[in-house]
Amino acid sequence: MNKGLFISLSVIILGFSIFFILGINTAPAITYFPDDEDSSFTSANSNLELFLPKGNDSYQLAWTTDSRSDKEMYLRQDASLLFDNGRLRGVRSKWVQDTDHIQIEEKLVSEDSSFFQVISFHHGEIHYPNEQIKSIRQMSADHLYVIDSPNTSLDAFKTPENEFESEWKNLLNRTTKQQLLYHWNRLFTYFDISGESYLSVPLTSLHKYNNEPLPTMTRDETNKIMGQLWEGLYKNYIIPAVNTENNQLQSYIPIILFDKQNQHLLVLFELNAKKYKLIQQYAN
């Protein structure tokens, strides 16, 4: 590893202390309803790109989400969370009635080398006669490594294409992981939880359950759990974060704990120096 990597590591550990919560309309809430087998998303995507260098010490990041359903729905909602080296950098949510399409586009200024991760939840609510309500849902995610070192030119990539980028990926992954493990272990200790009883999944990795079920569960059971999980996350994590002043926001990637006995799940997170444990019991 070259000298420039070690110099930048100290900058990364210090972190970028300015966080942005972007404008959000918090009503109505995301609500879980049974699956609508006659409706679906035709597309659902999140994307991060390096937009333009902003100056000698900063750059612009383009953060977008886009989803389209196969028909207009009574209510369409998308919520997206952006993390920077494991720390919450921004939240964006949008809801529109009687539409099949939602797009969110944001540009924000950042500096220093970073591992950016975005996780988004796309939701549609369909109303039928006789007050019957059903829903569809899907997750999407993306990531971006940005190298902003005084010894190299500005660079960004999703998958490394050479040894230099591979070294940076490993460095940023290791730094982020160490920071998150320290944070999560404090939560485990505070709530006196044994990790051996749970399958631990970071919030930013939940999208893999779009295509695979939770261990020993069916696809339908997993779908229901994910829908109810995001209902709780919206109410207890996203809205409180949005209602926090920008310069006071402090949070890391929440950790989701799936009970190996298939009875419940836990969500552990810290928001603005307060620790939280959410419990979601699985319905029979």
Side-chain angles (χ1 to χ4, degrees):
M1 188 180 296
N2 62 39
K3 183 177 179 181
L5 292 178
F6 284 108
I7 293 173
S8 294
L9 175 58
S10 61
V11 176
I12 295 167
I13 293 174
L14 288 174
F16 185 44
S17 60
I18 301 175
F19 302 96
F20 297 87
I21 287 294
L22 304 167
I24 183 171
N25 193 332
T26 58
I30 287 177
T31 304
Y32 169 80
F33 293 101
D35 289 355
D36 188 336
E37 296 181 356
D38 297 321
S39 304
S40 63
F41 284 104
T42 57
S43 64
N45 301 287
S46 297
N47 189 54
L48 295 173
E49 297 287 348
L50 185 64
F51 183 61
L52 284 174
K54 188 69 176 177
N56 293 333
D57 300 319
S58 62
Y59 52 87
Q60 277 193 328
L61 186 74
W63 166 23
T64 62
T65 66
D66 186 278
S67 63
R68 188 177 295 276
S69 51
D70 61 355
K71 60 176 71 74
E72 286 191 1
M73 296 185 173
Y74 173 80
L75 184 65
R76 280 291 333 280
Q77 294 166 272
D78 280 6
S80 187
L81 301 100
L82 177 66
F83 296 90
D84 177 352
N85 291 332
R87 301 188 70 174
L88 181 61
R89 180 69 186 274
V91 180
R92 189 69 170 97
S93 181
K94 185 175 182 179
W95 64 272
V96 182
Q97 285 189 302
D98 301 320
T99 189
D100 63 349
H101 182 230
I102 287 185
Q103 186 175 50
I104 299 171
E105 296 180 296
E106 295 292 346
K107 292 182 177 67
L108 54 89
V109 177
S110 193
E111 62 183 30
D112 301 328
S113 299
S114 289
F115 174 34
F116 292 101
Q117 295 169 277
V118 61
I119 177 80
S120 303
F121 183 71
H122 314 277
H123 182 262
E125 188 175 306
I126 309 98
H127 289 209
Y128 290 101
N130 302 320
E131 299 184 351
Q132 185 181 33
I133 303 176
K134 294 186 177 182
S135 62
I136 60 172
R137 70 203 64 83
Q138 190 165 327
M139 293 173 281
S140 66
D142 196 22
H143 66 271
L144 186 70
Y145 296 92
V146 177
I147 305 173
D148 184 17
S149 167
N151 300 316
T152 64
S153 58
L154 186 65
D155 186 21
F157 61 90
K158 298 180 190 290
T159 302
E161 297 182 353
N162 52 54
E163 184 177 353
F164 175 74
E165 291 183 345
S166 293
E167 287 183 337
W168 269 102
K169 175 186 175 180
N170 292 337
L171 172 66
L172 292 168
N173 282 350
R174 184 167 62 251
T175 303
T176 301
K177 182 178 180 180
Q178 289 173 346
Q179 183 164 247
L180 287 172
L181 287 176
Y182 172 76
H183 172 72
W184 292 334
N185 284 333
R186 290 180 59 198
L187 292 173
F188 274 68
T189 300
Y190 182 83
F191 290 111
D192 193 22
I193 293 172
S194 171
E196 295 180 356
S197 301
Y198 295 92
L199 168 67
S200 300
V201 181
L203 176 63
T204 46
S205 297
L206 275 184
H207 61 284
K208 67 182 179 181
Y209 296 112
N210 279 332
N211 303 311
E212 65 179 80
L214 288 161
T216 72
M217 292 213 173
T218 66
R219 177 68 258 160
D220 287 343
E221 289 170 335
T222 300
N223 232 13
K224 182 177 182 180
I225 289 170
M226 292 298 147
Q228 293 174 333
L229 170 58
W230 276 99
E231 179 179 349
L233 283 168
Y234 189 87
K235 177 182 179 181
N236 297 286
Y237 185 67
I238 292 175
I239 291 179
V242 168
N243 291 331
T244 301
E245 294 292 334
N246 292 347
N247 59 358
Q248 297 177 2
L249 182 70
Q250 296 180 13
S251 188
Y252 292 87
I253 296 172
I255 188 74
I256 319 298
L257 306 179
F258 296 97
D259 172 36
K260 292 181 179 179
Q261 301 300 315
N262 292 339
Q263 299 297 316
H264 67 278
L265 66 79
L266 304 176
V267 183
L268 305 183
F269 62 90
E270 186 169 350
L271 182 62
N272 305 329
K274 293 184 179 180
K275 298 177 176 62
Y276 296 88
K277 179 180 71 172
L278 309 181
I279 302 176
Q280 177 180 319
Q281 300 288 344
Y282 298 161
N284 294 328

